Amino acid sequence: MPEILIQNIDIALTMDDQRRRLSAVDLRLRDGIIAEIGSDLSTTGERISGRGCVVTPGLVNTHHHLYQNLTRAVPGAQDALLFGWLKRLYPIWSAFTPDDIHVSAQLGLAELAFSGCSLTSDHLYLYPNGSRLEDTIEAAGDIGMRFQPTRGAMSIGESAGGLPPDSLVEDERAILDDMIRVVDRFHDAAEGSMCRVALAPCSPFSVSRELMRDSALLARDKGVMLHTHLAENDEDIAYSLAQFGCRPGQYAEDLGWTGPDVWHAHCVKLDAEEIDLFARTRTGVAHCPCSNCRLGSGIAPLRAMRDARVPVGLGVDGSASNDMASLISEARQAMLLQRVAQGADAMSAYEALEIATRGGAEVLGRPDVGQLAVGKRADIAIWDVTGVASSGSWDPAALLLAGPAQVKHLFVEGRQIIRDGTLATMDLPGLLERHQKATTRLMQLA
Ligand SMILES: [Zn+2]
């Protein structure tokens, strides 16, 4: 891959081990990594101006359901709590085709890229009408996003006392077989990997205890990570106590769902004992503040988790419960929500940005990204701070207080994904047209 020099950067927030903030600096990218950081660097390749810009590591999104980009702001689901929201949307999702999953993922990944995201996880837990995990993996390849797809699953349908319709659940043996298939086919454990697969039963209330246990055993056997939804709201806790006779943290621990190779979405209702468990075991959390606000789930104990050194990253969550998927806005929301709970000094703009970059990389087991340092992968977000949103700022590095909501440039593995505010890897108008067409078809069916 040709060399690129990003030169004369106003401020680089490195998120490196020393948390250095560098001024008037150049970054040289080569072969997918950051080859050199310094002043007056030379290059044989392209030069990109960093003047008037703050440069950060690419943001990391630790929880998403890309397929939901086709069901944003659905009437009847706009103001419902989690379980009612799911019951409204399940019948619509059951009409999805493989093409729907693919175009929805392309659109969702483009949206994330504009907001500075260079690595995202995705939790696909329903496979209607022949859909497969590769429908999203191909989309990540189309956009050029570093990807951590998770093979999700639901197995307890309505007839067995579960929430989803029977048409959206799968047989547990078939789920395990497909988990093995996608790991063997798509998981790349190498440093700089563009695709790492994880295993992800949807939630403790949509699969059996046996599937939770077996998927954990399988993940350890294959050396891949584990992901699910946990302790999202009060109903979730009540369900756990009634059905399993214990809190979600205990349930997770009993079934092998703690450790540095596990991350749980939400965790809004973790108590002090569970926070301690997560800290001791290095179990990660995907904090999704906008979704938690949108569904009225509550304020996650982010401050307490950070103070206890629980690994925490950010997640935009699915686009049916946000309904925007701007990762930079999510970071701002995380900061604001802790301030609502605990006062203006509860979380700084810088700390929230650290959670959005280095924090997310740690949660996803990717020490090769999330910071600007020589030898790390060249995943870089460049923010123009000369525009309307930043004008008047005395500290442009405080991006989450006064800064643009979209990147000027975005690099993933040294490849330019966003160039001068436009998508460089795909025809965006064409993508929007296909996405709208799919949305219209689903609206007509509903
Ligand atoms: Zn979710």
Side-chain angles (χ1 to χ4, degrees), residues 10 18-19 37 51 86 113 117 138 166 177 181-182 235 269 294-296 331 343 350 360 406 426 432 436 440 445:
D10 277 13
Q18 295 79 40
R19 305 296 194 273
I37 300 176
R51 214 179 282 282
L86 284 169
C117 176
E138 282 165 17
D166 288 354
D177 285 346
R181 181 187 73 85
V182 295
E235 286 172 288
K269 298 294 176 181
R294 160 77 160 78
L295 293 172
Y350 181 84
Q406 293 203 352
M426 278 194 74
L432 285 166
Q436 189 52 51
T440 303
L445 284 178

Side-chain angles (χ1 to χ4, degrees), residues 63 65 229 265-266 317-318:
H63 186 64
H65 310 287
H229 294 96
H266 300 303
D317 204 359

Side-chain angles (χ1 to χ4, degrees), residues 116-419:
C117 176
S118 56
L119 162 61
T120 186
S121 179
D122 185 50
H123 190 182
L124 184 62
Y125 53 80
L126 42 85
Y127 295 85
N129 308 305
S131 304
R132 299 181 303 171
L133 190 66
E134 43 265 57
D135 298 324
T136 60
I137 294 172
E138 282 165 17
D142 299 335
I143 297 288
M145 180 75 72
R146 199 182 299 280
F147 201 35
Q148 190 143 326
T150 70
R151 205 305 179 181
M154 297 191 294
S155 62
I156 303 178
E158 253 170 345
S159 63
L163 215 53
D166 288 354
S167 63
L168 278 182
V169 304
E170 299 172 274
D171 169 71
E172 295 199 343
R173 187 63 247 172
I175 290 167
L176 287 164
D177 285 346
D178 198 53
M179 284 176 167
I180 293 168
R181 181 187 73 85
V182 295
V183 169
D184 288 348
R185 180 139 178 226
F186 299 108
H187 179 69
D188 174 9
E191 184 167 331
S193 168
M194 292 298 287
C195 183
R196 284 198 190 158
V197 178
L199 307 184
C202 184
S203 65
F205 59 79
S206 54
V207 300
S208 73
R209 177 185 286 268
E210 289 70 35
L211 187 67
M212 291 295 287
R213 185 200 58 211
D214 290 349
S215 51
L217 291 171
L218 178 60
R220 269 49 188 254
D221 185 49
K222 293 282 185 187
V224 300
M225 294 187 74
L226 283 167
H227 181 50
T228 193
H229 294 96
L230 201 78
E232 182 164 350
N233 65 7
D234 288 328
E235 286 172 288
D236 204 338
I237 302 293
Y239 184 92
S240 185
L241 290 170
Q243 296 295 315
F244 312 134
C246 63
R247 289 185 53 89
Q250 181 73 56
Y251 188 70
E253 188 180 26
D254 289 350
L255 297 173
W257 278 75
T258 51
D261 55 351
V262 184
W263 83 106
H264 294 285
H266 300 303
C267 299
V268 174
K269 298 294 176 181
L270 288 194
D271 67 12
E273 221 169 288
E274 289 168 318
I275 291 172
D276 182 55
L277 168 69
F278 276 43
R280 276 188 285 110
T281 55
R282 308 299 300 148
T283 306
V285 170
H287 173 48
C288 308
C290 287
S291 173
N292 299 159
C293 289
R294 160 77 160 78
L295 293 172
S297 301
I299 302 175
L302 178 60
R303 183 69 273 151
M305 291 193 281
R306 288 276 296 175
D307 290 346
R309 302 199 172 279
V310 173
V312 185
L314 294 182
V316 297
D317 204 359
S319 295
S321 69
N322 187 321
D323 299 295
M324 296 177 187
S326 164
L327 195 48
I328 190 78
S329 303
E330 201 72 37
R332 178 176 162 91
Q333 186 75 8
M335 170 190 75
L336 295 177
L337 209 47
Q338 290 308 300
R339 292 176 178 215
V340 169
Q342 299 189 44
D345 58 354
M347 181 158 290
S348 68
Y350 181 84
E351 184 181 6
L353 195 61
E354 181 181 314
I355 295 169
T357 52
R358 193 178 166 119
E362 184 188 359
V363 165
L364 296 187
R366 297 299 304 252
D368 53 343
V369 303
Q371 50 185 301
L372 305 179
V374 172
K376 300 293 181 186
R377 312 314 299 186
D379 292 6
I380 294 163
I382 303 180
W383 309 86
D384 182 350
V385 290
T386 63
V388 170
S390 311
S391 187
S393 174
W394 289 34
D395 179 13
L399 273 181
L400 302 185
L401 290 175
Q406 293 203 352
V407 286
K408 181 177 186 185
H409 305 296
L410 180 76
F411 290 87
V412 180
E413 191 72 0
R415 178 185 180 201
Q416 193 154 13
I417 306 299
I418 303 288
R419 178 185 286 270

